[in-house]
Amino acid sequence: MEKPIIFSRHAEYKLLLLRRHGFLFSKKEIEEVVRNPLRIRSGYVGRKIAEQIISERYIFRVVFEDLPRQLKIITMYPSRRNRYEN
């Protein structure tokens, strides 16, 4: 059974902010990045970062915590691929 995914208040705000800047992601799409990422990297204080390529130029990163009963999305952001790819 998959853990449920919840969004922090900051993640909810960030989703609205991204929409204002033309990055139109639904919660389902963000959940899909966490459940089926291209790769997962280690983040600060035990957090994880799920990554998915969204275009030739951009990668989408979702920072989350893997808690005992749920996955909690902390924030998300698009970034240029060349910043995170080798």
Side-chain angles (χ1 to χ4, degrees):
M1 184 172 161
E2 291 184 335
K3 292 181 183 180
I5 294 178
I6 63 167
F7 287 71
S8 69
R9 280 198 316 199
H10 175 76
E12 296 277 358
Y13 169 75
K14 192 69 181 263
L15 189 57
L16 294 174
L17 187 63
L18 287 171
R19 286 181 182 154
R20 286 187 206 149
H21 289 279
F23 291 96
L24 306 175
F25 297 101
S26 69
K27 284 186 174 182
K28 289 241 183 242
E29 289 171 317
I30 294 166
E31 290 174 7
E32 183 65 22
V33 172
V34 172
R35 295 213 190 273
N36 297 302
L38 173 67
R39 68 182 150 261
I40 293 184
R41 297 184 188 247
S42 296
Y44 295 112
V45 292
R47 291 179 175 165
K48 297 178 180 181
I49 304 167
E51 297 179 335
Q52 192 63 262
I53 294 170
I54 57 173
S55 73
E56 273 190 43
R57 188 173 181 189
Y58 289 101
I59 190 166
F60 193 66
R61 304 183 90 216
V62 180
V63 179
F64 69 99
E65 293 177 344
D66 189 354
L67 302 172
R69 295 186 182 158
Q70 62 200 8
L71 300 174
K72 183 176 184 180
I73 296 179
I74 306 302
T75 193
M76 72 285 296
Y77 54 94
S79 185
R80 289 196 174 95
R81 286 176 63 178
N82 62 3
R83 182 169 182 181
Y84 294 102
E85 292 181 342
N86 298 337

Coordinates of all heavy atoms in Angstrom, one line a residue:
M1 N 0.8 -1.2 0.0 CA 0.0 0.0 0.0 C 0.9 1.2 0.0 O 1.8 1.4 0.8 CB -0.9 0.0 1.2 CG -1.9 1.1 1.3 SD -3.0 0.8 2.7 CE -3.6 2.5 2.8
E2 N 0.6 2.1 -0.9 CA 1.4 3.4 -1.0 C 1.0 4.3 0.1 O -0.2 4.4 0.5 CB 1.1 4.1 -2.3 CG 1.6 3.4 -3.5 CD 1.4 4.2 -4.8 OE1 0.5 5.0 -4.8 OE2 2.2 4.0 -5.7
K3 N 2.0 5.1 0.6 CA 1.8 6.1 1.6 C 1.0 7.2 1.0 O 1.2 7.6 -0.2 CB 3.1 6.6 2.2 CG 3.9 5.6 3.0 CD 5.1 6.3 3.4 CE 6.0 5.3 4.2 NZ 7.2 6.0 4.7
P4 N 0.1 7.8 1.7 CA -0.6 9.0 1.2 C 0.4 10.2 1.1 O 1.4 10.2 1.9 CB -1.7 9.3 2.3 CG -1.3 8.6 3.5 CD -0.4 7.4 3.1
I5 N 0.1 11.1 0.3 CA 1.0 12.3 0.1 C 0.2 13.5 0.6 O -0.9 13.7 0.2 CB 1.4 12.5 -1.4 CG1 2.3 11.3 -1.8 CG2 2.1 13.8 -1.6 CD1 2.7 11.4 -3.3
I6 N 0.9 14.3 1.4 CA 0.3 15.6 1.9 C 1.3 16.7 1.4 O 2.4 16.5 1.2 CB 0.1 15.6 3.4 CG1 1.4 15.5 4.1 CG2 -0.9 14.6 3.8 CD1 1.3 15.8 5.6
F7 N 0.7 17.9 1.3 CA 1.4 19.1 0.9 C 1.6 20.1 2.1 O 0.5 20.3 2.8 CB 0.7 19.8 -0.2 CG 0.9 19.2 -1.5 CD1 0.2 18.0 -1.8 CD2 1.6 19.7 -2.6 CE1 0.3 17.3 -3.0 CE2 1.7 19.1 -3.8 CZ 1.1 17.9 -4.0
S8 N 2.8 20.5 2.4 CA 2.9 21.5 3.5 C 2.3 22.8 3.0 O 2.0 23.0 1.8 CB 4.4 21.8 3.7 OG 5.0 22.4 2.6
R9 N 2.1 23.7 4.0 CA 1.5 25.1 3.6 C 2.4 25.8 2.6 O 2.0 26.4 1.7 CB 1.3 25.9 4.8 CG 0.0 25.5 5.5 CD -0.4 26.6 6.5 NE 0.6 27.2 7.3 CZ 0.4 27.9 8.4 NH1 -0.8 28.0 8.8 NH2 1.4 28.4 9.1
H10 N 3.7 25.6 2.8 CA 4.7 26.3 1.9 C 4.5 25.7 0.5 O 4.6 26.4 -0.5 CB 6.1 26.1 2.4 CG 7.1 26.6 1.4 ND1 7.3 28.0 1.2 CD2 7.9 26.0 0.5 CE1 8.2 28.1 0.3 NE2 8.6 27.0 -0.2
A11 N 4.4 24.4 0.4 CA 4.2 23.7 -0.9 C 2.9 24.2 -1.6 O 2.9 24.4 -2.8 CB 4.2 22.2 -0.8
E12 N 1.9 24.4 -0.9 CA 0.6 24.9 -1.4 C 0.8 26.3 -2.0 O 0.4 26.6 -3.1 CB -0.5 24.9 -0.4 CG -0.9 23.6 0.2 CD -1.9 22.9 -0.7 OE1 -2.3 23.4 -1.7 OE2 -2.3 21.7 -0.3
Y13 N 1.6 27.1 -1.2 CA 1.9 28.5 -1.7 C 2.7 28.4 -2.9 O 2.5 29.2 -3.9 CB 2.5 29.3 -0.6 CG 3.1 30.6 -1.1 CD1 2.3 31.7 -1.3 CD2 4.5 30.7 -1.2 CE1 2.8 32.9 -1.8 CE2 5.0 31.9 -1.7 CZ 4.2 33.0 -2.0 OH 4.7 34.1 -2.4
K14 N 3.8 27.6 -2.9 CA 4.7 27.5 -4.0 C 4.0 27.1 -5.3 O 4.3 27.5 -6.4 CB 5.8 26.5 -3.6 CG 7.0 26.5 -4.6 CD 7.8 27.8 -4.5 CE 8.9 27.9 -5.4 NZ 10.2 27.5 -4.8
L15 N 3.0 26.2 -5.2 CA 2.2 25.7 -6.3 C 1.5 26.9 -7.0 O 1.5 27.1 -8.2 CB 1.2 24.7 -5.9 CG 0.5 23.9 -6.9 CD1 1.4 23.2 -7.9 CD2 -0.5 22.9 -6.3
L16 N 0.9 27.8 -6.2 CA 0.3 29.0 -6.7 C 1.3 29.9 -7.4 O 1.1 30.5 -8.4 CB -0.5 29.7 -5.6 CG -1.7 29.0 -5.0 CD1 -2.2 29.8 -3.8 CD2 -2.7 28.8 -6.1
L17 N 2.4 30.1 -6.7 CA 3.5 31.0 -7.2 C 4.0 30.5 -8.6 O 4.2 31.3 -9.5 CB 4.6 31.1 -6.2 CG 5.7 32.1 -6.5 CD1 5.2 33.5 -6.5 CD2 6.8 31.9 -5.4
L18 N 4.2 29.2 -8.7 CA 4.7 28.6 -9.9 C 3.7 28.9 -11.1 O 4.1 29.1 -12.2 CB 5.0 27.1 -9.8 CG 6.2 26.8 -9.0 CD1 6.3 25.3 -8.7 CD2 7.5 27.2 -9.7
R19 N 2.4 28.7 -10.8 CA 1.4 29.0 -11.8 C 1.4 30.4 -12.3 O 1.2 30.6 -13.5 CB 0.0 28.7 -11.2 CG -0.2 27.2 -11.0 CD -1.6 26.9 -10.5 NE -1.7 25.4 -10.3 CZ -2.5 24.8 -9.5 NH1 -3.3 25.5 -8.7 NH2 -2.5 23.5 -9.4
R20 N 1.7 31.3 -11.4 CA 1.8 32.7 -11.8 C 2.9 33.0 -12.7 O 2.9 33.9 -13.5 CB 2.0 33.6 -10.6 CG 0.7 33.8 -9.8 CD 0.9 34.8 -8.7 NE 0.0 34.6 -7.6 CZ 0.2 34.8 -6.3 NH1 1.3 35.4 -6.0 NH2 -0.7 34.5 -5.4
H21 N 4.0 32.1 -12.7 CA 5.1 32.2 -13.5 C 5.1 31.3 -14.7 O 6.1 31.1 -15.4 CB 6.4 32.0 -12.7 CG 6.7 33.1 -11.7 ND1 7.3 34.2 -12.1 CD2 6.4 33.2 -10.4 CE1 7.5 35.0 -11.1 NE2 6.9 34.4 -10.0
G22 N 3.9 30.7 -15.0 CA 3.7 29.9 -16.2 C 4.1 28.5 -16.1 O 4.0 27.8 -17.1
F23 N 4.4 28.0 -14.9 CA 4.6 26.6 -14.7 C 3.4 25.9 -14.1 O 3.1 26.1 -13.0 CB 5.8 26.3 -13.8 CG 7.1 26.7 -14.4 CD1 7.7 28.0 -14.1 CD2 7.8 25.9 -15.2 CE1 8.9 28.4 -14.6 CE2 9.0 26.2 -15.8 CZ 9.6 27.5 -15.5
L24 N 2.6 25.3 -15.0 CA 1.2 24.8 -14.6 C 1.3 23.4 -14.3 O 1.2 22.5 -15.1 CB 0.3 25.1 -15.8 CG 0.2 26.5 -16.3 CD1 -0.7 26.6 -17.5 CD2 -0.2 27.5 -15.2
F25 N 1.4 23.1 -13.0 CA 1.5 21.7 -12.5 C 0.3 21.5 -11.6 O -0.1 22.3 -10.8 CB 2.8 21.5 -11.6 CG 4.0 21.6 -12.4 CD1 4.8 22.8 -12.3 CD2 4.4 20.6 -13.2 CE1 6.0 22.9 -13.1 CE2 5.6 20.7 -14.0 CZ 6.4 21.8 -13.9
S26 N -0.3 20.3 -11.7 CA -1.4 19.9 -10.8 C -0.7 19.1 -9.6 O 0.4 18.7 -9.7 CB -2.4 19.0 -11.5 OG -1.8 17.8 -11.8
K27 N -1.5 19.0 -8.6 CA -1.0 18.2 -7.4 C -0.8 16.7 -7.9 O 0.2 16.1 -7.4 CB -2.0 18.2 -6.3 CG -2.0 19.5 -5.5 CD -2.9 19.4 -4.3 CE -2.8 20.6 -3.4 NZ -3.6 20.5 -2.2
K28 N -1.6 16.2 -8.8 CA -1.4 14.8 -9.2 C -0.1 14.7 -10.0 O 0.6 13.7 -9.8 CB -2.6 14.4 -10.2 CG -3.9 14.2 -9.4 CD -4.3 12.8 -9.6 CE -5.6 12.6 -9.0 NZ -5.6 11.7 -7.9
E29 N 0.3 15.7 -10.8 CA 1.5 15.6 -11.5 C 2.7 15.7 -10.5 O 3.7 15.0 -10.7 CB 1.6 16.8 -12.5 CG 0.7 16.7 -13.7 CD 0.6 17.9 -14.5 OE1 0.6 19.0 -14.0 OE2 0.7 17.7 -15.8
I30 N 2.6 16.5 -9.5 CA 3.7 16.6 -8.5 C 3.8 15.3 -7.7 O 4.9 14.8 -7.5 CB 3.4 17.8 -7.6 CG1 3.6 19.1 -8.4 CG2 4.4 17.8 -6.4 CD1 3.0 20.3 -7.7
E31 N 2.7 14.7 -7.4 CA 2.7 13.4 -6.7 C 3.3 12.3 -7.6 O 4.0 11.5 -7.1 CB 1.2 13.0 -6.3 CG 0.6 13.8 -5.2 CD -0.8 13.5 -5.0 OE1 -1.4 12.5 -5.5 OE2 -1.4 14.2 -4.2
E32 N 3.1 12.4 -8.9 CA 3.7 11.4 -9.8 C 5.2 11.6 -9.9 O 5.9 10.6 -10.0 CB 3.1 11.7 -11.2 CG 3.5 10.7 -12.3 CD 3.1 9.2 -12.0 OE1 2.1 9.0 -11.3 OE2 3.8 8.3 -12.5
V33 N 5.7 12.8 -9.8 CA 7.1 13.0 -9.7 C 7.7 12.3 -8.5 O 8.8 11.6 -8.6 CB 7.5 14.5 -9.7 CG1 9.0 14.7 -9.5 CG2 7.1 15.2 -11.0
V34 N 7.0 12.4 -7.4 CA 7.5 11.7 -6.1 C 7.4 10.2 -6.2 O 8.3 9.5 -5.8 CB 6.7 12.3 -4.9 CG1 7.1 11.5 -3.7 CG2 7.1 13.8 -4.7
R35 N 6.3 9.7 -6.8 CA 6.1 8.3 -6.9 C 6.9 7.6 -8.0 O 7.3 6.4 -7.8 CB 4.6 8.0 -7.1 CG 3.8 8.4 -5.9 CD 2.6 7.5 -5.7 NE 1.7 8.0 -4.7 CZ 1.8 7.8 -3.4 NH1 2.8 7.2 -2.9 NH2 0.9 8.3 -2.6
N36 N 7.2 8.3 -9.1 CA 8.0 7.7 -10.2 C 9.0 8.7 -10.7 O 8.9 9.2 -11.9 CB 7.0 7.3 -11.3 CG 6.0 6.3 -10.9 OD1 6.4 5.2 -10.5 ND2 4.7 6.6 -10.9
P37 N 10.0 9.1 -9.9 CA 11.0 10.0 -10.3 C 12.0 9.5 -11.3 O 12.2 8.2 -11.4 CB 11.7 10.4 -9.0 CG 11.6 9.2 -8.2 CD 10.2 8.6 -8.6
L38 N 12.6 10.4 -12.1 CA 13.8 10.0 -12.9 C 14.9 9.5 -11.9 O 15.5 8.5 -12.2 CB 14.2 11.2 -13.7 CG 15.5 11.0 -14.5 CD1 15.3 9.9 -15.6 CD2 16.0 12.3 -15.1
R39 N 15.1 10.3 -10.9 CA 16.0 9.9 -9.8 C 15.7 10.6 -8.5 O 14.9 11.6 -8.5 CB 17.4 10.3 -10.2 CG 17.7 11.7 -10.3 CD 19.2 12.0 -10.8 NE 19.2 13.3 -11.5 CZ 19.2 13.4 -12.8 NH1 19.2 12.3 -13.6 NH2 19.1 14.6 -13.4
I40 N 16.2 10.1 -7.4 CA 16.0 10.7 -6.1 C 17.4 11.0 -5.6 O 18.3 10.2 -5.6 CB 15.2 9.8 -5.1 CG1 13.8 9.6 -5.6 CG2 15.3 10.4 -3.7 CD1 12.9 8.8 -4.7
R41 N 17.5 12.3 -5.1 CA 18.8 12.7 -4.5 C 18.6 13.0 -3.0 O 17.5 13.2 -2.6 CB 19.3 13.9 -5.2 CG 19.7 13.7 -6.6 CD 20.2 14.9 -7.2 NE 20.4 14.8 -8.7 CZ 21.5 14.8 -9.3 NH1 22.7 14.8 -8.6 NH2 21.6 14.7 -10.6
S42 N 19.7 13.0 -2.2 CA 19.6 13.3 -0.8 C 19.5 14.8 -0.7 O 20.2 15.5 -1.4 CB 20.8 12.8 -0.1 OG 20.8 11.4 -0.1
G43 N 18.7 15.3 0.3 CA 18.6 16.7 0.6 C 19.1 16.9 2.0 O 19.6 16.1 2.7
Y44 N 18.8 18.1 2.5 CA 19.2 18.5 3.8 C 18.3 17.8 4.9 O 17.2 17.5 4.6 CB 19.0 20.0 4.0 CG 20.0 20.8 3.2 CD1 19.5 21.6 2.1 CD2 21.3 20.8 3.4 CE1 20.4 22.4 1.3 CE2 22.2 21.5 2.6 CZ 21.7 22.3 1.6 OH 22.6 23.0 0.8
V45 N 18.9 17.6 6.0 CA 18.2 17.0 7.2 C 17.4 15.8 6.9 O 16.2 15.7 7.3 CB 17.5 18.1 8.0 CG1 18.4 19.0 8.7 CG2 16.4 18.8 7.2
G46 N 17.9 14.9 6.1 CA 17.2 13.7 5.8 C 16.1 13.8 4.7 O 15.4 12.8 4.4
R47 N 15.9 14.9 4.2 CA 14.9 15.1 3.1 C 15.4 14.5 1.8 O 16.6 14.3 1.6 CB 14.5 16.6 2.9 CG 13.8 17.1 4.1 CD 13.5 18.6 3.9 NE 12.7 19.1 5.0 CZ 12.5 20.3 5.3 NH1 13.0 21.3 4.6 NH2 11.7 20.6 6.3
K48 N 14.4 14.2 0.9 CA 14.8 13.7 -0.4 C 14.3 14.6 -1.5 O 13.4 15.4 -1.2 CB 14.1 12.3 -0.5 CG 14.6 11.3 0.5 CD 13.9 10.0 0.3 CE 14.4 9.0 1.4 NZ 13.7 7.7 1.2
I49 N 14.9 14.5 -2.6 CA 14.6 15.4 -3.7 C 14.3 14.5 -4.9 O 15.2 13.8 -5.4 CB 15.7 16.4 -4.1 CG1 16.0 17.2 -2.8 CG2 15.3 17.3 -5.2 CD1 17.3 18.0 -3.0
A50 N 13.1 14.5 -5.4 CA 12.7 13.7 -6.6 C 12.8 14.6 -7.8 O 12.4 15.8 -7.7 CB 11.2 13.2 -6.4
E51 N 13.4 14.1 -8.8 CA 13.6 14.9 -10.0 C 12.9 14.2 -11.3 O 12.9 13.0 -11.4 CB 15.1 15.0 -10.3 CG 15.9 15.7 -9.3 CD 17.3 15.8 -9.6 OE1 17.9 15.0 -10.3 OE2 18.0 16.7 -9.0
Q52 N 12.4 15.1 -12.1 CA 11.8 14.7 -13.4 C 12.1 15.7 -14.5 O 12.0 16.9 -14.2 CB 10.3 14.5 -13.2 CG 9.7 13.8 -14.4 CD 10.1 12.4 -14.5 OE1 11.0 12.1 -15.4 NE2 9.6 11.5 -13.7
I53 N 12.5 15.3 -15.6 CA 12.8 16.2 -16.7 C 11.4 16.7 -17.3 O 10.5 15.9 -17.5 CB 13.6 15.5 -17.8 CG1 15.0 15.2 -17.3 CG2 13.7 16.4 -19.1 CD1 15.8 14.3 -18.2
I54 N 11.3 18.0 -17.5 CA 10.0 18.5 -18.0 C 10.1 19.2 -19.4 O 9.1 19.4 -20.0 CB 9.3 19.5 -17.0 CG1 10.3 20.7 -16.6 CG2 8.9 18.8 -15.7 CD1 9.6 21.7 -15.8
S55 N 11.4 19.4 -19.8 CA 11.6 19.9 -21.1 C 13.1 19.8 -21.4 O 13.9 19.4 -20.6 CB 11.2 21.4 -21.2 OG 12.1 22.3 -20.6
E56 N 13.5 20.2 -22.6 CA 14.9 20.2 -23.0 C 15.7 21.1 -22.1 O 16.9 20.8 -21.8 CB 15.1 20.7 -24.4 CG 14.9 19.6 -25.4 CD 15.4 20.1 -26.8 OE1 16.4 20.7 -26.9 OE2 14.7 19.7 -27.8
R57 N 15.1 22.1 -21.6 CA 15.8 23.1 -20.8 C 15.6 22.9 -19.2 O 16.5 23.3 -18.5 CB 15.3 24.5 -21.2 CG 16.1 25.6 -20.6 CD 15.6 26.9 -21.2 NE 16.4 28.0 -20.6 CZ 16.2 29.2 -20.8 NH1 15.2 29.6 -21.5 NH2 16.9 30.1 -20.2
Y58 N 14.5 22.4 -18.8 CA 14.2 22.4 -17.4 C 14.0 21.0 -16.8 O 13.6 20.0 -17.4 CB 12.9 23.1 -17.1 CG 13.0 24.6 -17.3 CD1 12.6 25.3 -18.4 CD2 13.6 25.4 -16.3 CE1 12.7 26.6 -18.6 CE2 13.8 26.8 -16.4 CZ 13.3 27.4 -17.6 OH 13.5 28.7 -17.7
I59 N 14.4 20.9 -15.5 CA 14.1 19.7 -14.7 C 13.2 20.2 -13.5 O 13.3 21.4 -13.1 CB 15.4 19.1 -14.1 CG1 15.2 17.8 -13.5 CG2 16.2 20.1 -13.2 CD1 16.5 17.0 -13.2
F60 N 12.3 19.4 -13.0 CA 11.5 19.8 -11.9 C 11.9 19.0 -10.7 O 12.1 17.8 -10.8 CB 10.0 19.4 -12.3 CG 9.0 20.1 -11.4 CD1 8.9 21.4 -11.3 CD2 8.2 19.3 -10.6 CE1 7.9 22.0 -10.5 CE2 7.3 19.8 -9.7 CZ 7.1 21.2 -9.7
R61 N 12.1 19.7 -9.6 CA 12.6 19.1 -8.4 C 11.5 19.2 -7.3 O 11.0 20.3 -7.1 CB 13.9 19.7 -7.9 CG 14.9 19.6 -9.0 CD 16.3 20.2 -8.6 NE 17.0 19.1 -8.0 CZ 17.8 19.2 -7.0 NH1 18.0 20.4 -6.4 NH2 18.5 18.2 -6.5
V62 N 11.2 18.1 -6.6 CA 10.3 18.1 -5.5 C 11.0 17.6 -4.2 O 11.5 16.5 -4.2 CB 9.1 17.2 -5.8 CG1 8.1 17.2 -4.6 CG2 8.4 17.6 -7.1
V63 N 11.0 18.5 -3.2 CA 11.7 18.2 -1.9 C 10.6 17.6 -1.0 O 9.5 18.3 -0.9 CB 12.3 19.5 -1.3 CG1 12.9 19.1 0.0 CG2 13.3 20.1 -2.3
F64 N 10.8 16.5 -0.5 CA 9.8 15.8 0.4 C 10.5 15.1 1.6 O 11.7 14.8 1.6 CB 8.9 14.9 -0.4 CG 9.6 13.7 -0.9 CD1 9.5 12.4 -0.3 CD2 10.4 13.7 -2.1 CE1 10.1 11.3 -0.8 CE2 11.0 12.6 -2.6 CZ 10.9 11.4 -1.9
E65 N 9.7 14.8 2.5 CA 10.1 14.0 3.7 C 9.3 12.7 3.6 O 8.1 12.6 3.4 CB 9.7 14.7 5.0 CG 10.5 16.0 5.2 CD 10.2 16.7 6.5 OE1 9.1 16.4 7.1 OE2 10.9 17.6 6.9
D66 N 10.0 11.6 3.8 CA 9.4 10.3 3.9 C 9.2 9.9 5.3 O 10.1 9.4 6.1 CB 10.4 9.2 3.2 CG 9.8 7.9 3.1 OD1 8.6 7.7 3.5 OD2 10.4 7.0 2.4
L67 N 8.0 10.3 5.8 CA 7.6 10.1 7.2 C 7.0 8.7 7.4 O 6.7 8.0 6.4 CB 6.6 11.1 7.6 CG 7.0 12.6 7.4 CD1 5.9 13.5 7.7 CD2 8.2 12.9 8.4
P68 N 6.9 8.2 8.6 CA 6.4 6.8 8.8 C 5.1 6.5 8.2 O 4.9 5.4 7.6 CB 6.3 6.7 10.3 CG 7.3 7.7 10.9 CD 7.3 8.8 9.9
R69 N 4.1 7.4 8.2 CA 2.8 7.2 7.7 C 2.4 7.9 6.4 O 1.4 7.7 5.9 CB 1.8 7.5 8.8 CG 1.9 6.6 10.0 CD 0.8 6.9 10.9 NE 0.9 6.1 12.1 CZ 0.4 6.3 13.3 NH1 -0.4 7.4 13.4 NH2 0.6 5.5 14.3
Q70 N 3.3 8.8 6.0 CA 3.0 9.6 4.8 C 4.2 10.2 4.2 O 5.3 10.2 4.8 CB 2.0 10.7 5.2 CG 2.6 11.7 6.2 CD 1.5 12.5 6.9 OE1 0.3 12.2 6.8 NE2 1.9 13.4 7.7
L71 N 4.1 10.7 3.0 CA 5.1 11.5 2.3 C 4.6 13.0 2.4 O 3.5 13.3 2.0 CB 5.3 11.1 0.9 CG 5.6 9.6 0.6 CD1 5.6 9.3 -0.9 CD2 7.0 9.3 1.2
K72 N 5.5 13.8 2.8 CA 5.1 15.2 3.0 C 6.0 16.1 2.0 O 7.2 16.1 2.1 CB 5.4 15.7 4.4 CG 5.0 17.2 4.6 CD 5.1 17.6 6.1 CE 4.6 18.9 6.3 NZ 4.8 19.3 7.8
I73 N 5.3 16.7 1.1 CA 6.0 17.6 0.1 C 6.2 18.9 0.8 O 5.3 19.6 1.3 CB 5.1 17.8 -1.2 CG1 5.0 16.4 -1.8 CG2 5.8 18.8 -2.1 CD1 4.2 16.3 -3.1
I74 N 7.5 19.3 0.8 CA 8.0 20.5 1.4 C 7.9 21.7 0.4 O 7.4 22.8 0.7 CB 9.4 20.4 2.0 CG1 9.4 19.1 2.9 CG2 9.8 21.6 2.7 CD1 8.5 19.2 4.1
T75 N 8.5 21.5 -0.7 CA 8.6 22.5 -1.8 C 8.8 21.9 -3.1 O 9.2 20.7 -3.2 CB 9.6 23.6 -1.4 OG1 9.4 24.8 -2.3 CG2 11.0 23.1 -1.5
M76 N 8.7 22.7 -4.1 CA 9.0 22.2 -5.5 C 9.5 23.4 -6.3 O 9.1 24.5 -6.0 CB 7.9 21.5 -6.1 CG 6.7 22.3 -6.6 SD 5.6 23.0 -5.3 CE 4.9 21.6 -4.6
Y77 N 10.3 23.1 -7.3 CA 10.8 24.2 -8.2 C 11.3 23.6 -9.5 O 11.9 22.6 -9.5 CB 11.8 25.0 -7.5 CG 13.0 24.3 -6.9 CD1 14.1 24.1 -7.7 CD2 12.9 23.7 -5.7 CE1 15.2 23.4 -7.2 CE2 14.0 22.9 -5.2 CZ 15.1 22.8 -5.9 OH 16.2 22.1 -5.4
P78 N 11.2 24.4 -10.6 CA 11.8 24.0 -11.8 C 13.2 24.7 -11.8 O 13.5 25.7 -11.1 CB 11.0 24.7 -12.9 CG 10.4 25.9 -12.2 CD 10.2 25.5 -10.7
S79 N 14.2 24.0 -12.5 CA 15.5 24.6 -12.5 C 16.1 24.2 -13.9 O 15.6 23.2 -14.5 CB 16.4 24.0 -11.4 OG 17.6 24.6 -11.4
R80 N 17.1 24.9 -14.3 CA 17.8 24.5 -15.6 C 18.5 23.2 -15.4 O 19.1 22.9 -14.4 CB 18.8 25.6 -15.9 CG 18.1 26.8 -16.4 CD 19.0 27.8 -17.1 NE 18.3 28.9 -17.7 CZ 18.2 30.0 -17.0 NH1 18.8 30.2 -15.9 NH2 17.5 31.0 -17.6
R81 N 18.3 22.3 -16.4 CA 18.8 21.0 -16.3 C 20.4 21.0 -16.2 O 20.9 20.1 -15.4 CB 18.5 20.2 -17.6 CG 17.0 19.8 -17.7 CD 16.7 19.1 -18.9 NE 17.4 17.9 -19.1 CZ 17.3 17.1 -20.1 NH1 16.4 17.4 -21.1 NH2 18.0 16.0 -20.3
N82 N 21.1 21.9 -16.8 CA 22.5 21.9 -16.8 C 23.0 22.1 -15.4 O 24.2 21.8 -15.1 CB 23.1 22.8 -17.8 CG 22.8 24.3 -17.6 OD1 22.1 24.6 -16.6 ND2 23.2 25.1 -18.5
R83 N 22.2 22.7 -14.5 CA 22.6 22.9 -13.1 C 22.8 21.6 -12.3 O 23.5 21.5 -11.4 CB 21.7 23.9 -12.4 CG 22.1 24.2 -11.0 CD 21.3 25.3 -10.5 NE 21.8 25.6 -9.1 CZ 21.3 26.5 -8.4 NH1 20.3 27.3 -8.8 NH2 21.8 26.7 -7.2
Y84 N 21.9 20.6 -12.6 CA 21.9 19.4 -11.9 C 22.3 18.1 -12.6 O 22.4 17.1 -12.0 CB 20.5 19.2 -11.3 CG 20.1 20.3 -10.3 CD1 19.3 21.3 -10.6 CD2 20.6 20.2 -9.0 CE1 19.0 22.3 -9.7 CE2 20.4 21.2 -8.1 CZ 19.5 22.3 -8.5 OH 19.3 23.2 -7.6
E85 N 22.5 18.2 -13.9 CA 22.9 17.0 -14.7 C 24.4 17.1 -14.9 O 24.9 18.2 -15.1 CB 22.1 17.0 -16.0 CG 20.7 16.7 -15.8 CD 19.9 16.6 -17.1 OE1 20.4 17.1 -18.1 OE2 18.8 16.0 -17.0
N86 N 25.0 16.0 -15.0 CA 26.5 15.9 -15.2 C 26.8 15.8 -16.7 O 26.2 15.2 -17.4 CB 27.1 14.7 -14.5 CG 26.9 14.9 -13.0 OD1 26.7 16.0 -12.5 ND2 26.9 13.7 -12.3

